[in-house]
């Protein structure tokens, strides 16, 4: 039995998202979440998933959403980020089913200061639900990890009560992912904040479980955004096993049900991680791993190599080493060099899927 025996191709919502994550957990693999900033990057990620027969997660950040709408637009009140996220969602919905793979359509880190962006996407979800019986997105992330734990959980509860009835998955973060990415700068946080305690994770699980089952937790285990020299970042994915054990014990005490891995866990700051760290995280119930820094660079590589190789054909519209009258349109046409970036991006997505055991899963 494969994933397509459990959920359909195209954008998933509601319980189908949980069914996908349950299947991943039971079969010991996780799904990479790739940040996309354009139709080009979105299509390349979908192409990679199709070619290796894998489910995939496409996500937009607040800054990436604004870029999707166009950097020429003002982002006062998060208007460009809201518009760009909605635009990305409609594009991905339009083409996803044609690629024949299940897709989770997600929005990435939303800190407290960015809640107007979250509110705008949620309003779009509710409007789409009214018209189609399901939300526009599959899931959204609230990252209130910089806030006090009680405020973090209370805000997540407030939003989840609004999200659950229309079939939206919630991802939340407890404990901080270090480093800097897309305007979220945690480079100066205390090292202890990079490691979440089992009691804190269970507090989240208990509060959200009272509303519904469709949520995941990004618990920190030394994670840092970006790529760093070996030895500069100390990941401890083995700590995730303690979260599962503690939550399992508490669920058993509360309900009498023995659930071995009750938590759906998320791995942030995945770029540059070793295969052993990734494998340990997956064994301990990670079903989603964010990959952005590595795929950004991969998208550049194809274009960079093309520009270097074809340098003498890109100086003028007419005239190259083959002759002064030879046209260069077939070299400077964006469809040519952008496609080279799509190819190398797709290869890096395939690598991420391979590292997570997410190959030939359909």
């Amino acid at each position: 039995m494969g994933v397509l025996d459990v959920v359909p191709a195209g954008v998933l919502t509601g319980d189908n998202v949980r069914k996908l994550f349950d299947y991943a957990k039971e079969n010991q693999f996780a799904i990479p979440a790739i940040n996309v900033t354009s139709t080009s990057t979105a299509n390349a990620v979908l192409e990679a998933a199709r070619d290796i027969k894998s489910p995939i997660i496409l996500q937009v950040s607040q800054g990436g959403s604004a870029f999707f709408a166009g950097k020429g637009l003002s982002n006062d009140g998060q208007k460009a980020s809201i518009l760009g996220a909605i635009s990305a969602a409609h594009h991905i919905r339009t083409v996803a089913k044609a690629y024949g793979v299940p897709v989770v359509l997600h929005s990435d880190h939303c800190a407290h200061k960015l809640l107007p962006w979250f509110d705008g996407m949620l309003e779009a979800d509710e409007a789409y639900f009214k018209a189609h019986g399901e939300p526009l997105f599959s899931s959204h992330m609230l990252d209130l990890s910089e806030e006090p734990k009680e405020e973090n959980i209370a805000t997540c509860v407030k939003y989840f009560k609004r999200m659950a009835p229309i079939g939206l998955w919630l991802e939340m973060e407890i404990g901080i992912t270090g480093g800097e990415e897309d305007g979220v700068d945690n480079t100066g946080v205390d090292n202890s904040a990079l490691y979440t305690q089992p009691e804190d994770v269970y507090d989240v699980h208990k509060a959200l479980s009272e509303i519904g089952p469709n949520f995941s937790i990004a618990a920190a285990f030394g994670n840092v955004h970006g790529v760093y020299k070996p030895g500069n970042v100390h990941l401890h994915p083995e700590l995730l096993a303690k979260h599962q054990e503690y939550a399992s014990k508490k669920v058993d005490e509360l309900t009498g049900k023995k659930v071995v891995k009750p938590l759906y866990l998320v791995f942030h700051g995945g770029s540059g991680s070793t295969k052993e760290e990734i494998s340990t995280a997956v064994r301990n119930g990670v079903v989603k791993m964010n990959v952005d820094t590595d795929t950004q660079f991969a998208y550049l590589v194809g274009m960079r190599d093309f520009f270097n190789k074809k340098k003498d054909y890109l100086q003028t519209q007419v005239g190259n080493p083959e002759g002064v009258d030879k046209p260069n349109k077939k070299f400077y046409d964006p469809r040519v060099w952008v496609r080279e970036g799509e190819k190398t991006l797709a290869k890096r997505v395939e690598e991420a899927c391979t590292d997570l055991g997410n190959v030939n899963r359909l």
Side-chain angles (χ1 to χ4, degrees):
M1 183 176 73
V3 169
L4 289 177
D5 296 308
V6 179
V7 296
V11 172
L12 305 179
T13 59
D15 288 343
N16 277 337
V17 176
R18 190 176 77 254
K19 289 177 182 177
L20 173 62
F21 289 152
D22 280 339
Y23 184 89
K25 202 191 292 188
E26 291 163 8
N27 290 276
Q28 294 284 293
F29 72 94
I31 306 164
I34 313 297
N35 285 63
V36 298
T37 56
S38 63
T39 57
S40 170
T41 52
N43 295 346
V45 175
L46 291 169
E47 179 182 351
R50 179 202 65 196
D51 289 350
I52 58 172
K53 300 179 174 58
S54 305
I56 197 70
I57 302 170
L58 276 70
Q59 59 187 27
V60 291
S61 66
Q62 178 263 350
S65 294
F67 187 86
F68 214 107
K71 292 294 285 184
L73 290 180
S74 167
N75 204 19
D76 288 347
Q78 300 298 323
K79 289 180 181 177
S81 289
I82 294 167
L83 182 63
I86 293 169
S87 175
H90 279 290
H91 170 73
I92 292 165
R93 272 194 168 275
T94 299
V95 302
K97 198 171 288 187
Y99 284 88
V101 298
V103 174
V104 174
L105 176 52
H106 180 68
S107 65
D108 203 6
H109 293 266
C110 179
H112 190 274
K113 65 183 179 181
L114 302 179
L115 284 176
W117 171 53
F118 196 99
D119 292 334
M121 291 187 291
L122 190 49
E123 288 173 9
D125 284 311
E126 290 168 335
Y128 197 89
F129 180 85
K130 190 173 181 180
H132 303 282
E134 65 176 352
L136 179 61
F137 285 81
S138 309
S139 60
H140 296 295
M141 183 197 177
L142 283 170
D143 180 2
L144 305 173
S145 55
E146 292 183 325
E147 313 303 322
K149 184 183 81 171
E150 293 74 16
E151 182 181 341
N152 183 352
I153 295 175
T155 304
C156 287
V157 164
K158 181 184 77 170
Y159 275 102
F160 195 38
K161 285 180 177 177
R162 188 173 163 190
M163 295 168 68
I166 62 172
L168 276 168
W169 185 278
L170 172 66
E171 177 185 328
M172 68 82 66
E173 182 162 341
I174 185 93
I176 293 175
T177 301
E180 189 276 333
E181 183 175 66
D182 210 354
V184 179
D185 189 350
N186 291 327
T187 53
V189 300
D190 186 85
N191 190 58
S192 63
L194 303 180
Y195 300 94
T196 311
Q197 299 304 308
E199 294 83 1
D200 294 335
V201 174
Y202 178 70
D203 285 345
V204 173
H205 182 269
K206 185 175 183 296
L208 295 180
S209 291
E210 292 174 1
I211 302 165
N214 295 341
F215 64 91
S216 52
I217 301 172
F221 52 95
N223 317 63
V224 176
H225 284 133
V227 175
Y228 296 83
K229 290 181 179 179
N232 284 10
V233 175
H234 302 285
L235 289 177
H236 291 283
E238 69 277 5
L239 295 177
L240 300 178
K242 298 183 184 301
H243 300 332
Q244 295 284 14
E245 290 165 6
Y246 186 85
S248 179
K249 178 184 175 184
K250 287 294 185 180
V251 169
D252 187 11
E253 291 173 357
L254 190 66
T255 67
K257 296 179 180 177
K258 294 187 182 297
V259 183
V260 178
K261 294 177 186 174
L263 306 173
Y264 299 96
L265 296 174
V266 178
F267 187 161
H268 283 187
S271 293
S273 302
T274 68
K275 296 187 190 312
E276 184 179 353
E277 289 166 342
I278 293 170
S279 177
T280 300
V282 172
R283 271 200 317 275
N284 291 324
V286 162
V287 294
K288 170 182 180 278
M289 186 177 86
N290 288 8
V291 183
D292 185 24
T293 303
D294 288 350
T295 46
Q296 286 179 350
F297 186 72
Y299 191 51
L300 165 70
V301 165
M303 298 185 203
R304 179 201 66 193
D305 291 351
F306 177 82
F307 294 148
N308 287 338
K309 184 178 180 180
K310 302 297 183 182
K311 178 180 64 175
D312 293 335
Y313 295 81
L314 300 173
Q315 305 308 309
T316 57
Q317 286 184 287
V318 178
N320 59 49
E322 297 174 30
V324 294
D325 296 326
K326 293 289 185 180
N328 293 318
K329 181 169 171 39
K330 66 180 180 180
F331 300 103
Y332 65 73
D333 185 332
R335 291 171 294 182
V336 176
W337 50 268
V338 171
R339 178 57 181 161
E340 294 304 312
E342 291 175 354
K343 290 176 184 176
T344 46
L345 170 56
K347 288 295 182 187
R348 185 60 185 83
V349 173
E350 290 180 11
E351 181 183 338
C353 286
T354 301
D355 289 345
L356 292 167
N358 182 34
V359 176
N360 291 321
R361 292 294 183 176
L362 301 187

